[in-house]
C-alpha cells in the first residue's frame, strides 16, 4: 500500500483515512512504546542480581530507575524543542535506534557509574519517542476516538509490563541481566524497521523555543491537572522497582514470581484499555476516581498481607492484577483531560504529561529506595498513602470551576 504524506495542518480524518492512518497507525506506534516501556521498567525484573554483580545495595540499584525517570522528565521538553521541525517518522525511528545503542551500553557496563550513564542516554531516547508517538496518534483520529488511540499507544507500555517484564525476568534468570538489555537492543531494531516501513509521513512542526513550549502552563486547567499525574505515578511506582523482594516476602518463595509479574501486566493491559473505553463514555474524572480507589485498596491489602506470609498465590495474583490495572488506568484519562483543556496545543500538553509521568516515577522510586533501607513492606504503605492523596487531590480540584 502506498503511503500518502500528511500535509501540515491536515488531519488524516479529513481525507477519510481513519482506517489507514488512525487507530491502525496507532497500533504500529505501540510497537515502539512496547520497547520503550520494556526498557524503562525492566530493572524491576532483575534488580537483586544486578545489584549483587555491580557491588551495590538493592536500594542503590533502585536509583537507576529514579535517575532514568528524572532524566526523562527533565530532558523531554528540551528534546521536544530541539526536534520540533524534524519529520515525525524520521524522529521516531532515530529515537529507537539511539535507544538500542544505549541498551547495548547498559549490557556492557562493568560499573554502576557506567550503567547510570547508559540509562540516562536511554531516557533521552525514550523522551524523544513516547510524547511524539502519542501526539501523532491523537492527530490521526476523530476527537471521539482520541482516548482509544491514546490507549492503543500507551498500550505498548502496558504490554511491556504484561509480557516484556516477565520475559526479561525469565531471560535474566536463564542467562543473565545483561542478556536482557541485549534483547531490548534487538527489539529496538525490529520496532524501528516496522515503523519506518508502515507509518505515514508526517511533517515536523514549527520551530519553537522552550519558553514558548512551556507557555501551555499558563492554562489554569493544565496547571491544575498536571500535579495529579505526578502524585498518581509516584503512588504506583513507590513499590514497583522492588517488586521482586516484595513478592518474596508475600509468597515465601520465588517459584511464582514470573507468574505474578504476568498478572500485574495483564491487569495493566486491562486497566489501560478499559480506561480508554470508559473515558470516552463516562468521562475521565469517573475513571480516575475508580483507579485511585482500587490502587489504595490493592496496595494496602498487600501491605497488610505482608505481615502474615505466605499469601495464597490466588490472592496474591488478584492483588497484583488490581495494582496493575489501577496504575495504568490513569494515563488515558489524564491525557484526555489535558488535551480537552488545551485542544490547540495537543503536542505540548502530551509532552508535559509525559514529563509529569516520569517525574512521578522518579519521586516514587526515590521514596521506595529510601524505605527499602528499613523494610520492603514500607514501600507498599507509602504507595497506599500516595494513592489516597491523589484521590483527595482529584476530588478537590476536578469540580472546581475554571476562571475565565
Amino acid at each position: 500500500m502506498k503511503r500518502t504524506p500528511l500535509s501540515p495542518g491536515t488531519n488524516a480524518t479529513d481525507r477519510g483515512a481513519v482506517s489507514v492512518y488512525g487507530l491502525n497507525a496507532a497500533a504500529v506506534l505501540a510497537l515502539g512504546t512496547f520497547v520503550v516501556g520494556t526498557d524503562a521498567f525492566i530493572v524491576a525484573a532483575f534488580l537483586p542480581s544486578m545489584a549483587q554483580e555491580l557491588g551495590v545495595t538493592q536500594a542503590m540499584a533502585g536509583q537507576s530507575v529514579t535517575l532514568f525517570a528524572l532524566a526523562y522528565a527533565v530532558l523531554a521538553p528540551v528534546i521536544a524543542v530541539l526536534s520540533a521541525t524534524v519529520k515525525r517518522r524520521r524522529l521516531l525511528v532515530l529515537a529507537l535506534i539511539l535507544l538500542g545503542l544505549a541498551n547495548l551500553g547498559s549490557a556492557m557496563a562493568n560499573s554502576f557509574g557506567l550503567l547510570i550513564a547508559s540509562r540516562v542516554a536511554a531516557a533521552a531516547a525514550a523522551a524523544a519517542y513516547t510524547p511524539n508517538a502519542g501526539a501523532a496518534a491523537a492527530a490521526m483520529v476523530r476527537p471521539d476516538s482520541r482516548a482509544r488511540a491514546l490507549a492503543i499507544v500507551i498500550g505498548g507500555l502496558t504490554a511491556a509490563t504484561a509480557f516484556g517484564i516477565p520475559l526479561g525476568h525469565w531471560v535474566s534468570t536463564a542467562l543473565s541481566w545483561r542478556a536482557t538489555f541485549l534483547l531490548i537492543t534487538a527489539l529496538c531494531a525490529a520496532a524501528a524497521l516496522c515503523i519506518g516501513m508502515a507509518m505515514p509521513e508526517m511533517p515536523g512542526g514549527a520551530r519553537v523555543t522552550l519558553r514558548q513550549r512551556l507557555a501551555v502552563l499558563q492554562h489554569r486547567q493544565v496547571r491544575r491537572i498536571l500535579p495529579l499525574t505526578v502524585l498518581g505515578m509516584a503512588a504506583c511506582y513507590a513499590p514497583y522497582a522492588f517488586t521482586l523482594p516484595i513478592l518474596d516476602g508475600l509468597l515465601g518463595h520465588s517459584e511464582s514470581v514470573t507468574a505474578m509479574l504476568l498478572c500485574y501486566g495483564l491487569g495493566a493491559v486491562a486497566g489501560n484499555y478499559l480506561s480508554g473505553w470508559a473515558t470516552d463514555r463516562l468521562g475521565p474524572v469517573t475513571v480516575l476516581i475508580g483507579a485511585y480507589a482500587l490502587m489504595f485498596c490493592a496496595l494496602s491489602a498487600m501491605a497488610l498481607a505482608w505481615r502474615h506470609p505466605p499469601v495464597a498465590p490466588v490472592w496474591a495474583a488478584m492483588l497484583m492484577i488490581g495494582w496493575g490495572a489501577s496504575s495504568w488506568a490513569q494515563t488515558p484519562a489524564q491525557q484526555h483531560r489535558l488535551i480537552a483543556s488545551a485542544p490547540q496545543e495537543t503536542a505540548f500538553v502530551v509532552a508535559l504529561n509525559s514529563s509529569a509521568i516520569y517525574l512521578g516515577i522518579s519521586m516514587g522510586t526515590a521514596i521506595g529506595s529510601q524505605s527499602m533501607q528499613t523494610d520492603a513492606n514500607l514501600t507498599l504503605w507509602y504507595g497506599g498513602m500516595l494513592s489516597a492523596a491523589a484521590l483527595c487531590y482529584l476530588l478537590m480540584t476536578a469540580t472546581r470551576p475554571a476562571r475565565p
Side-chain angles (χ1 to χ4, degrees), residues 336-404:
H336 191 277
R337 294 177 73 203
L338 284 164
I339 291 173
S341 67
Q344 303 305 317
E345 300 173 277
T346 296
F348 292 172
V349 294
V350 169
L352 278 175
N353 193 55
S354 188
S355 290
I357 287 172
Y358 280 88
L359 180 59
I361 293 173
S362 176
M363 290 176 56
T365 53
I367 293 170
S369 295
Q370 184 64 32
S371 59
M372 266 294 292
Q373 299 179 24
T374 302
D375 187 354
N377 185 39
L378 195 56
T379 64
L380 293 168
W381 285 117
Y382 279 135
M385 288 187 291
L386 286 169
S387 62
L391 179 58
C392 291
Y393 181 87
L394 174 66
L395 294 176
M396 288 188 300
T397 59
T399 57
R400 187 184 302 171
R403 295 180 181 176

Side-chain angles (χ1 to χ4, degrees), residues 202-252:
M202 297 180 69
R207 187 178 299 277
V208 293
T209 65
L210 183 60
R211 183 175 182 178
Q212 289 172 321
R213 192 168 188 88
L214 296 179
V216 70
L217 290 174
Q218 294 177 2
H219 290 263
R220 184 177 180 85
Q221 282 291 88
V222 172
R223 295 199 308 272
R224 184 180 298 163
I225 293 170
L226 274 177
L228 181 63
T229 297
V230 177
L231 263 178
M233 297 309 292
C236 60
Y237 277 92
Y240 183 78
F242 310 100
T243 302
L244 294 188
I246 287 172
L247 288 174
D248 284 342
L250 282 174
L251 300 172

Side-chain angles (χ1 to χ4, degrees), residues 24-34 92 129 133 136-137 140 153 195 199:
N24 291 341
V28 175
L29 295 172
L31 294 174
T33 52
F34 171 80
L92 295 174
Y129 182 86
M140 292 188 292
V153 175
I195 291 174
M199 182 182 169

Side-chain angles (χ1 to χ4, degrees), residues 133-280:
M140 292 188 292
V141 296
R142 298 186 304 267
D144 62 351
S145 298
R146 187 175 289 150
R148 276 174 289 170
L150 289 169
I152 289 172
V153 175
I154 299 165
L157 299 177
T158 59
T161 64
F163 307 111
I165 307 306
L167 176 62
H169 181 261
W170 179 81
V171 171
S172 66
T173 302
L175 299 174
S176 72
W177 61 270
R178 297 181 186 275
T180 307
F181 282 124
L182 292 176
L183 173 63
I184 297 174
T185 299
L187 291 174
C188 286
L193 180 63
C194 290
I195 291 174
M197 294 175 60
M199 182 182 169
E201 187 61 87
M202 297 180 69
R207 187 178 299 277
V208 293
T209 65
L210 183 60
R211 183 175 182 178
Q212 289 172 321
R213 192 168 188 88
L214 296 179
V216 70
L217 290 174
Q218 294 177 2
H219 290 263
R220 184 177 180 85
Q221 282 291 88
V222 172
R223 295 199 308 272
R224 184 180 298 163
I225 293 170
L226 274 177
L228 181 63
T229 297
V230 177
L231 263 178
M233 297 309 292
C236 60
Y237 277 92
Y240 183 78
F242 310 100
T243 302
L244 294 188
I246 287 172
L247 288 174
D248 284 342
L250 282 174
L251 300 172
H253 55 80
S254 59
E255 289 81 0
S256 303
V257 168
T258 300
M260 293 300 111
L261 291 174
L262 182 61
C263 288
Y264 176 96
L266 293 175
V269 172
N272 176 70
Y273 283 104
L274 286 174
S275 174
W277 176 85
T279 297
D280 284 333

